[in-house]
Amino acid sequence: MDAKPLATKVVVDSSVVLHIVKHASEAAPYQACGQLLGLDNQDILEVTHGFNLPVSNSFYDSNDSATLRTKAINKYIGDMVEQLKEVKVDANTVGFYQCTHLGKFINHVVIDNLYAYQKENPEAVVLVYDLSKTVYASFSFKAYRLSPAFIAVKKSGKFSTKNLVEKELSYHDILEEVPVEIHNSHLVTLLLQNLSTQQPESSFTLNSTFNSLDITIDPYLEKTMESIFDSIDDFHYDQGNYNYYQRQLAREQSKISQWQQKRKAENHVRQQKGEAPLPLDNYGKLFKLPEEPSRLENLLISAQLDKYCTQIEEFGATVSSKLFATQKSLEA
Amino acid sequence: MPASTIHIPRAATAAVNGIASPQTITVQAQAVVQILDHALRQSATQKRVIGTLLGSRSEDGTEYEVRSTYAVSHEEADDRVTIDIEGNKAMYNLLKKTNQGRTSGEVILGWYSTSSDLDYFAGLVHKFYSSPENGAYPFAPIYLSLDSDIIASNGELTVSTFTSSAIGAAGNQDAVNTLFVPIPNEIKYSDIEKAGLDVIAKAQNEPSRSTTIESDLQNLESSLLQIMSMIERVQEYVQNVIKSADTKNTTESVGNVAVGKYLLDSLSLAPGLVKADAIEELFNTHLRDVLMIVYLANTVKTQLQLSSRLTTLL
């Protein structure tokens, strides 16, 4: 990684925002993703163009090793960038966007791909647009980047407990959120101004719909709870694996200490006979310690669960205040 | 028909190959923003930039919906125009790939340019888009012009849409003999796009032309403030009407009495709830549910924290 500090802000052009929104709503209920092009302007990362990636609907369900780095997709990106260069679009890859539902995006697919993008361009980010959250609560659009700690651990190739402690990586800091700003060009500003001064009978009004005052809250909470349950199941499964490993480890270790005890007693006898003692630490040949399973799964599930919970907390705060307010206004 | 008369068919009957031509065109806001984005990338020597319109037609071919666009590079020189035909095709095929398996496949509807001049050039490009290989064939292509030269247009951004009719003697299919027939258009958005547009619209009065995304709570606050200011405005109007009625000051009318009465009625409207107890009960159970879930989420969070601390201790 180079010494230059990474961009501290992502500025997204309004055309990209609308593109992602459109792509997400077309692809629903499936997830969708696409490439982001833009410029790296000192401490600001400008995202100026985005296009869809040809990803099949079963992509996310298929397996854990799904990657956007396949030959076909790479060729698609190459062709597309070639075309866009012709019309003077900034042809510099700055990451990808991911459309998701109810904050479900911390998984192998997204993390692996983000890692691949960041290896090529340390500035790369993933823009996460949450369609369901936009429908049920408020517009949700966030940018994330993998933390240096995560990259360091990933580079070392092993997600072992020792490694995690050394690099101080916990599930809290897999991803770093980068603040997002939405930017309009002068022309778009003009268009918006024109449209908002238009006659009221025009169907295009930019008045707020007051979506955030809606008090239908059940679907959102229900679905998030379901996701939490799913994640907890996954967590348990992974924990089970880890527990199994720990039991295995404990068994092996007790075997080793038994063996060492035996050796010590033997050495005692040998010493009395005036012979050289046998070494105590060559147990590696006799016993094999079990391999520690990767902690990555655990990290990701924890991060996802944490995300769900934060989501509910945030939602709960607004919803309870809304409910209280409605109650009061009904009493009055 | 003598060759010297000009025959101009009405738009409704200006059918190409017997297929009805468009009557109304809806343009998705996203497409307009894309065109504007392209307009920004126009170089100083170019008079305009052009691109292809994608979208869908209704079954009878009278309603068009422009949903997205892509830019096509071209060069103008004197009376010649070079369009990147290969690029246009390649782009369409690339975009088609990502639309696979969707019912809402987008097809080429026509083209756009960022100049409102209906000149010789426009005729040439239009001809290109009506050709069987490249364009909307067998349907008539539509042309959308959005003048990005805002100094000349006095700061008005007008979206105009046209279809074409061939004019002139039959058989003489020269490009210049094209009459652009205006078609009414409307800019629209879907409910989901609305959320995105709302965010973008927030930046419209900012000098920096930028905005950040608010959290749920901030959103709620701004919505409430907006509603309050609206109620205040209505109250003020009603007050004004009452005042002017009191003083019998008809010359300086501040508001319509009928409108004032109507607004007063609306203001005093209260939700007509018959069983207040039942509602109260419902609210309370709901609130308890929410609090319970929040509590549960908190517990899960704490457990997670604990678990991660304990595993790293080993």
Side-chain angles (χ1 to χ4, degrees):
Chain A
M1 209 126 302
D2 54 39
K4 191 175 124 354
L6 297 175
T8 51
K9 195 162 80 176
V10 181
V11 175
V12 187
D13 195 85
S14 47
S15 70
V16 181
V17 177
L18 289 181
H19 175 86
I20 296 174
V21 169
K22 173 172 177 273
H23 189 188
S25 62
E26 275 177 358
Y30 298 103
Q31 301 192 22
C33 63
Q35 186 92 346
L36 294 175
L37 302 177
L39 294 171
D40 170 14
N41 187 357
Q42 286 171 6
D43 59 342
I44 295 171
L45 188 70
E46 287 176 28
V47 181
T48 54
H49 195 88
F51 59 85
N52 304 2
L53 284 178
V55 169
S56 63
N57 291 337
S58 57
F59 179 73
Y60 292 96
D61 315 325
S62 55
N63 54 55
D64 288 352
S65 60
T67 168
L68 293 175
R69 301 265 118 189
T70 61
K71 238 181 182 173
I73 293 177
N74 266 340
K75 184 175 179 307
Y76 183 87
I77 293 174
D79 288 351
M80 196 67 163
V81 168
E82 202 56 41
Q83 292 302 323
L84 290 172
K85 258 189 207 160
E86 285 289 312
V87 286
K88 304 191 188 66
V89 170
D90 314 307
N92 180 25
T93 302
V94 292
F96 67 107
Y97 64 83
Q98 179 73 46
C99 306
T100 179
H101 297 285
L102 294 171
K104 187 184 176 194
F105 68 93
I106 305 175
N107 52 35
H108 284 285
V109 181
V110 172
I111 298 294
D112 285 353
N113 286 318
L114 187 56
Y115 180 70
Y117 275 96
Q118 274 185 254
K119 221 160 75 183
E120 270 169 41
N121 179 1
E123 299 276 0
V125 291
V126 57
L127 278 181
V128 180
Y129 167 64
D130 196 326
L131 180 66
S132 309
K133 198 165 176 231
T134 305
V135 174
Y136 294 124
S138 62
F139 191 73
S140 165
F141 203 79
K142 293 200 161 91
Y144 295 96
R145 187 185 282 146
L146 290 175
S147 67
F150 183 86
I151 290 177
V153 176
K154 175 105 182 162
K155 254 191 191 152
S156 71
K158 261 177 96 180
F159 284 90
S160 59
T161 311
K162 191 170 145 264
N163 234 338
L164 295 187
V165 175
E166 253 170 41
K167 304 280 191 335
E168 290 176 4
L169 178 71
S170 77
Y171 68 90
H172 279 297
D173 32 39
I174 295 178
L175 293 168
E176 282 176 345
E177 195 179 334
V178 192
V180 180
E181 202 165 86
I182 291 172
H183 184 76
N184 290 338
S185 68
H186 280 295
L187 285 175
V188 172
T189 310
L190 185 68
L191 176 76
L192 291 169
Q193 293 284 4
N194 268 339
L195 289 172
S196 55
T197 51
Q198 258 176 12
Q199 295 305 305
E201 56 260 31
S202 154
S203 66
F204 195 101
T205 45
L206 281 169
N207 287 331
S208 174
T209 44
F210 301 111
N211 239 349
S212 51
L213 295 181
D214 201 357
I215 49 167
T216 37
I217 46 178
D218 295 345
Y220 185 83
L221 285 178
E222 230 174 84
K223 283 186 183 131
T224 317
M225 280 318 285
E226 271 167 31
S227 316
I228 286 190
F229 290 150
D230 282 352
S231 281
I232 289 182
D233 280 347
D234 291 345
F235 189 84
H236 255 277
Y237 180 78
D238 189 68
Q239 199 68 26
N241 277 349
Y242 196 69
N243 285 346
Y244 176 76
Y245 153 77
Q246 281 181 325
R247 277 199 303 277
Q248 204 84 341
L249 188 72
R251 203 175 303 148
E252 290 297 312
Q253 267 166 344
S254 72
K255 270 191 204 164
I256 289 169
S257 57
Q258 267 177 20
W259 178 82
Q260 278 175 329
Q261 291 284 330
K262 230 173 103 191
R263 261 280 153 97
K264 265 185 198 157
E266 229 173 276
N267 277 347
H268 202 68
V269 177
R270 286 172 78 104
Q271 229 170 8
Q272 279 176 343
K273 284 186 190 165
E275 285 170 36
L278 292 168
L280 276 173
D281 48 359
N282 64 344
Y283 55 84
K285 277 182 204 153
L286 294 159
F287 303 99
K288 209 165 155 265
L289 286 177
E291 189 99 348
E292 188 184 10
S294 167
R295 305 296 291 147
L296 177 62
E297 192 70 34
N298 177 280
L299 276 179
L300 294 184
I301 299 171
S302 304
Q304 184 65 70
L305 260 177
D306 190 58
K307 174 100 195 123
Y308 286 144
C309 293
T310 321
Q311 214 165 269
I312 286 198
E313 278 172 340
E314 279 170 10
F315 192 70
T318 40
V319 156
S320 46
S321 50
K322 264 191 272 187
L323 280 178
F324 275 123
T326 322
Q327 217 176 350
K328 279 277 166 297
S329 71
L330 280 180
E331 279 167 18
Chain B
M1 186 169 61
S4 56
T5 41
I6 304 176
H7 170 65
I8 305 173
R10 279 194 309 124
T13 58
V16 178
N17 306 327
I19 293 162
S21 62
Q23 306 278 302
T24 53
I25 295 174
T26 42
V27 187
Q28 295 274 337
Q30 197 240 345
V32 183
V33 175
Q34 271 181 343
I35 297 174
L36 292 176
D37 183 59
H38 188 199
L40 287 174
R41 301 178 195 282
Q42 175 174 354
S43 64
T45 51
Q46 275 178 311
K47 192 180 161 206
R48 64 192 121 203
V49 285
I50 64 164
T52 302
L53 301 173
L54 293 176
S56 59
R57 296 181 187 90
S58 68
E59 258 170 44
D60 57 355
T62 54
E63 282 163 42
Y64 279 45
E65 188 180 12
V66 178
R67 309 191 15 191
S68 64
T69 68
Y70 62 87
V72 175
S73 70
H74 80 291
E75 272 168 46
E76 287 174 58
D78 301 330
D79 57 347
R80 262 180 340 106
V81 51
T82 330
I83 299 173
D84 185 5
I85 298 178
E86 286 309 312
N88 185 27
K89 257 192 206 156
M91 194 69 174
Y92 179 59
N93 287 330
L94 282 172
L95 287 175
K96 225 163 74 178
K97 267 191 205 165
T98 57
N99 274 331
Q100 256 170 5
R102 303 229 170 84
T103 44
S104 61
E106 291 173 358
V107 292
I108 294 182
L109 293 182
W111 64 291
Y112 69 81
S113 93
T114 55
S115 151
S116 58
D117 291 351
L118 290 174
D119 51 12
Y120 179 72
F121 167 85
L124 284 174
V125 182
H126 203 76
K127 175 134 174 125
F128 167 77
Y129 274 98
S130 24
S131 69
E133 304 87 50
N134 303 301
Y137 191 81
F139 295 92
I142 54 170
Y143 165 51
L144 187 154
S145 84
L146 179 60
D147 201 345
S148 64
D149 185 4
I150 47 175
I151 298 161
S153 64
N154 249 333
E156 293 272 328
L157 272 180
T158 331
V159 177
S160 338
T161 39
F162 304 92
T163 187
S164 62
S165 308
I167 52 167
N172 180 11
Q173 288 293 321
D174 199 0
V176 217
N177 295 346
T178 306
L179 178 76
F180 284 102
V181 185
I183 318 168
N185 68 71
E186 212 176 354
I187 299 180
K188 274 207 176 146
Y189 49 81
S190 63
D191 280 348
I192 290 173
E193 274 179 309
K194 177 80 169 74
L197 273 170
D198 277 346
V199 176
I200 290 164
K202 258 195 305 186
Q204 65 173 329
N205 294 323
E206 301 287 330
S208 62
R209 293 177 282 124
S210 300
T211 182
T212 47
I213 293 157
E214 291 175 343
S215 73
D216 291 3
L217 264 179
Q218 282 168 320
N219 232 324
L220 182 64
E221 190 194 347
S222 60
S223 281
L224 285 175
L225 285 175
Q226 216 173 330
I227 289 220
M228 269 155 72
S229 82
M230 280 159 86
I231 292 177
E232 259 166 41
R233 223 179 106 194
V234 171
Q235 275 175 331
E236 207 176 304
Y237 188 95
V238 172
Q239 286 299 333
N240 278 339
V241 171
I242 294 171
K243 239 186 261 163
S244 65
D246 281 349
T247 52
K248 298 255 173 357
N249 184 357
T250 43
T251 47
E252 202 189 319
S253 172
V254 265
N256 188 309
V257 179
V259 175
K261 274 186 180 158
Y262 177 76
L263 288 177
L264 186 62
D265 280 350
S266 308
L267 274 180
S268 47
L269 264 184
L273 298 166
V274 204
K275 287 180 193 158
D277 302 355
I279 295 286
E280 170 108 22
E281 172 87 30
L282 251 159
F283 261 103
N284 280 333
T285 45
H286 232 96
L287 196 63
R288 272 203 294 274
D289 284 354
V290 172
L291 293 178
M292 186 66 211
I293 292 178
V294 172
Y295 174 71
L296 184 66
N298 257 316
T299 325
V300 172
K301 238 177 147 171
T302 321
Q303 290 270 0
L304 263 181
Q305 205 109 316
L306 205 64
S307 140
S308 87
R309 284 285 149 83
L310 287 178
T311 36
T312 44
L313 266 181
L314 290 169

